[in-house]
Amino acid sequence: MSIIPPSASLVRFDNPTLISAQTDRDRKGISGGMGGKQNEQLMDIPGMSPQLQRKQQTVKDLSLEEILDKILPPRMTKDPNNSDLLYCQRISSTPATRLDVINLQEQLDMRLQQRQARETGICPVRRELFSQCFDELIRQVAINCAERGLLLLRVRDELQMTLRAYQTLYESSVAFGMRKALMAEQGKAELERKLVQLDEDKRELERQLKDTKANAEATEKKLTEQRQVEERKHMEEINFLKKTNQQLKAQLEGLIAPKK
């Protein structure tokens, strides 16, 4: 049974083991085999500070399997044919040779090409493959030197934490930009509604101005006609009075002339 196919990860895994057939080694991740040999290689260094001694003691208390489990936790899966059977698959504790490193590099290049990873810029595929390659290198180093492996593990965790922080910052900035864009879009829609309303008000005012001008012209024309009529009446009255005045003068002269 192969839980993790060789092509699924660049990290080397052991063959899966049935947990029910294992001791506490698979249940708790504690083993005395190679881990005991590894602990024998961890020796105190004269002149080491108490803090470093405590850290070294912590490393000495960890078995090789526990250190490897920190790189990638064991993977548990159920048998597809029997759900009661639970299998465990751990990172391999087999030391790597120079040929293994060369094969790892070739596998990395091949996977990058097969999965069409981008050479530059942000690429989740490239990041995943290089993370697997880094985990495999940490595994190889940790087998030969536990302290160096744990230090590389800290470096990996710090890089992952930094990447997650940048990812969170990026997502926050994208969300902020989206909110600003939505606010701007809403403001744009409001301005467009105001513009439409102002256009309607403008057309209404133009209509009112046109009506007012028409009324003013009609009123002016009516007043002009009334003035002309009144002027004609006034002239007719003046002419009538002049004519009456002349007739009265003529009659008056006719009355005065016989007396003389």
Side-chain angles (χ1 to χ4, degrees), residues 48-84:
M48 182 181 298
S49 65
Q51 184 178 6
L52 291 178
Q53 289 179 1
R54 286 194 298 270
K55 290 183 177 180
Q56 188 190 33
Q57 185 62 35
T58 302
V59 175
K60 293 172 63 176
D61 293 339
L62 295 176
S63 65
L64 177 60
E65 283 75 11
E66 290 175 320
I67 295 175
L68 294 179
D69 288 346
K70 288 181 176 293
I71 300 175
L72 280 180
R75 299 190 177 183
M76 306 294 180
T77 186
K78 293 182 178 181
D79 192 331
N81 299 323
N82 188 353
S83 60
D84 294 334

Side-chain angles (χ1 to χ4, degrees), residues 4 36 101 108 159 161 169 185 245:
I4 302 177
V101 179
L108 175 62
L159 290 175
M161 183 179 66
L169 180 61
E185 193 67 23
N245 188 22

